[in-house]
Amino acid sequence: MSRSQTGLVETSDSPPAPAARDVEPVGRFDLRRRCPRVARGARVATTVLAGALVLFALLLPNRLGRLGVGAFLRVPAEGVLLAGLLLALPPKPRRITAVLSGVLLGLLTVLKFVDMGFYQVLARPFDLVLDWVLLDDATDFLRESSGRTGQVLAVTGVLVLFVALLVLTTLAVVRLTSLMARHRAVAGRTTLVLGTAWITCVTLGVQVAGVPVATKGNAEFLGNRVAQVRAGLRDARVFERQAAVDAFAGTPPDRLLTGLRGKDVLFTFIESYGRTAIDDPAMAERTDAVLREGTASLRAAGFASRSGWLTSPVTGAGSWLAHSTFLSGLWIKNEQRYRTLTTSDRMTLTSYFRRTGAWRTVGIVPGVRRAWPEGRYFGLEHIYDSERLGYRGPHFSWTPVPDQFSMEAFERLEHGRKNRDPVMAEIILASSHNPWAPMARMVDWEDLGDGSVFHRIKKEGKDPKEVWKDAGSVRVEYRKAIEYSLRSLTGWMERYGDEDTVLVFLGDHQPVPTVTAGSTSRDVPVTIVAKDPKVLDRVSGWGWTEGLKPAPDAPRWGMDRFRDRFMTAYGPRRPAR
């Protein structure tokens, strides 16, 4: 068989086959050949965008307050080192390193954005070990404040942005790596120049708008996160040792809280009632007027009061951590400690009241809308959540039940009952919870009914989306919310309190940074109100200020110290010698 018969050699009269480069698939539009300028412009634009994205991710701070032009006019050490590494690697390892670096850079950028949110609400960064459960709480807050649709849209938007950041940063690093590989000489010289500039700026301390030009922020960011993770893992062992120490664990029930026997004792938390409401010049005058008015009206009704300061373990949010710190005598600063506490046999202030057998223990918790098994841990025999208070009015953003109605419900369901045992109540007033719009207002106690009166009040209230466009408006509405909560509480005390009523009320934490305006204080006011002078005589040595407003220099304790001081003050007195 000849070669021509096999088809391997063309005959002389066969038409020549077209060159491969001349073949254009049907329907294909070759932009580079048809529109070379457009194609070149697209390539340049894509490369510029890739470089801008990588630089943005490397220089992005993790706090909104640090955003500014100066933050992005810097030389990141991590970028210079990564460029040098990619230039030194062979092709295949270089491609793998580029992909992994892009993914890591995307994850760091996402974490920085999460930190921004945490700083805005909690004045601290996201904890990689302990804070995941708070993301679920955040989605619940969105649903309760903005409805199911708002929650779904917000969560979907966050997920889309998360995936987009990972994909785009990876593609950007890969594209820049390919460009450097094609132009090794230029890329090498540029990297050397940038490295020299970084060292020079560090040596000379060069700054732009007060921000150092040379930065190793990402390395420090990662180092802080590693230290945070290690501390979180160690914290469980530290807390276990602390929780094992309880000065009252062996005290017989008949010797507990003897100085309050026969009294109704109310431990009342006012949401976000922080030192800012009293000290901030923009709020102090109005808040002071409300506290002076409350002090005077209670005094006219026969009550006296003493006030001091407690330092909360949290700020901005995390009320349950503050509540459990106050009641347990332990510093509950994270979710891990809270879960460990509520599954332990550690006695709280409220559970010690129950142990005595001298009080009926109840919880008024209008912010609770689902199962709350922790209530049993805190020693509360009867729990009234938002569904059991008899309220038929509207929600005010996050707040299910206005404070005035919660206090009236407590009177109707427990305090006002005849022929009853003394009551120890934990009451959580939620009207001053973020976002503070629309707000309830005081109505005549006789007109409260089932709460339907608040439908009209809500319609007259402000839209939270409008309020939150301006920090000044937020601060005004926050102040009004605190005033409402204080009036609800003091109004109830004046109306229903008697010789056997003892009220302890306090804030759980400071409000969000939008309201505190840069204050780093975590102090909250705490007050004891009673008509029986013997009750306040027991705490005369505390040095607290007379009235509902603590003096600026009044004693300041950690919130975890209150339980033992309180139980000591109201325990058996040693006989005088």
Side-chain angles (χ1 to χ4, degrees), residues 342-408:
T342 54
T343 54
S344 72
D345 57 2
R346 168 84 178 191
M347 295 291 289
T348 64
L349 181 55
T350 43
S351 55
Y352 272 123
F353 270 90
R354 182 177 181 179
R355 172 180 278 190
T356 66
W359 282 274
R360 174 182 169 88
T361 59
V362 304
I364 305 296
V365 286
V368 173
R369 314 179 197 198
R370 55 188 178 186
W372 189 49
E374 296 96 325
R376 296 296 178 187
Y377 164 75
F378 288 110
L380 304 177
E381 300 169 279
H382 306 277
I383 298 173
Y384 299 92
D385 58 21
S386 60
E387 300 297 322
R388 299 186 60 201
L389 292 174
Y391 181 65
R392 298 295 179 266
H395 286 195
F396 286 80
S397 290
W398 184 89
T399 308
V401 184
D403 290 349
Q404 186 184 10
F405 189 93
S406 295
M407 294 306 303
E408 180 67 22

Side-chain angles (χ1 to χ4, degrees), residues 63-331:
R63 301 193 194 190
L64 283 174
R66 294 178 179 174
L67 284 175
V69 176
F72 296 97
L73 297 177
R74 297 183 295 168
V75 179
E78 302 82 8
V80 176
L81 292 173
L82 178 60
L85 174 63
L86 291 171
L87 286 171
L89 290 173
K92 186 174 181 180
R94 182 168 60 238
R95 288 192 295 271
I96 295 173
T97 302
V99 171
L100 293 177
S101 299
V103 172
L104 176 60
L105 191 58
L107 290 174
L108 284 177
T109 306
V110 170
L111 183 54
K112 289 176 182 179
F113 279 122
V114 174
D115 272 2
M116 288 182 191
F118 268 67
Y119 273 113
Q120 285 299 105
V121 177
L122 301 175
R124 65 171 178 81
F126 177 73
D127 192 312
L128 287 166
V129 176
L130 306 171
D131 280 344
W132 294 101
V133 67
L134 298 183
L135 299 181
D136 182 54
D137 292 334
T139 61
D140 287 344
F141 176 77
L142 283 172
R143 185 185 68 250
E144 293 160 357
S145 299
S146 306
R148 181 68 177 175
T149 302
Q151 177 198 34
V152 171
L153 290 175
V155 171
T156 302
V158 168
L159 292 176
V160 169
L161 286 175
F162 172 74
V163 174
L165 271 173
L166 292 183
V167 172
L168 290 175
T169 53
T170 302
L171 292 176
V173 173
V174 169
R175 183 172 187 83
L176 294 178
T177 302
S178 299
L179 181 66
M180 289 191 300
R182 291 198 303 271
H183 304 281
R184 295 181 63 85
V186 175
R189 288 194 297 270
T190 303
T191 302
L192 181 61
V193 169
L194 289 173
T196 304
W198 189 91
I199 294 172
T200 303
C201 290
V202 168
T203 303
L204 300 178
V206 179
Q207 296 185 350
V208 173
V211 179
V213 171
T215 176
K216 52 179 180 177
N218 290 289
E220 294 172 348
F221 182 73
L222 285 173
N224 291 337
R225 278 306 194 273
V226 171
Q228 182 192 65
V229 168
R230 289 176 177 171
L233 296 175
R234 288 195 305 267
D235 186 63
R237 296 189 296 273
V238 173
F239 182 68
E240 185 179 355
R241 292 195 297 269
Q242 294 172 345
V245 179
D246 186 346
F248 297 93
T251 305
D254 62 352
R255 294 184 61 79
L256 291 169
L257 301 161
T258 54
L260 293 171
R261 297 298 172 104
K263 305 292 186 185
D264 295 316
V265 184
L266 285 58
F267 295 105
T268 305
F269 295 92
I270 298 179
E271 172 67 36
S272 300
Y273 177 35
R275 186 162 191 155
T276 291
I278 292 176
D279 285 356
D280 190 292
M283 309 181 206
E285 184 177 354
R286 296 291 296 273
T287 306
D288 183 61
V290 172
L291 293 173
R292 280 190 283 104
E293 173 191 313
T295 300
S297 61
L298 287 173
R299 185 183 296 118
F303 292 95
S305 52
R306 300 289 184 275
S307 299
W309 301 104
L310 298 177
T311 301
S312 175
V314 293
T315 185
S319 301
W320 61 97
L321 304 181
H323 300 170
S324 54
T325 295
F326 178 83
L327 296 174
S328 71
L330 296 170
W331 196 249

Side-chain angles (χ1 to χ4, degrees), residues 468-488:
W468 278 81
K469 289 180 179 179
D470 176 67
S473 297
V474 175
R475 288 157 63 80
V476 169
E477 297 309 310
Y478 163 77
R479 173 185 55 76
K480 291 179 179 178
I482 293 298
E483 291 175 10
Y484 170 73
S485 295
L486 289 169
R487 286 194 169 104
S488 297

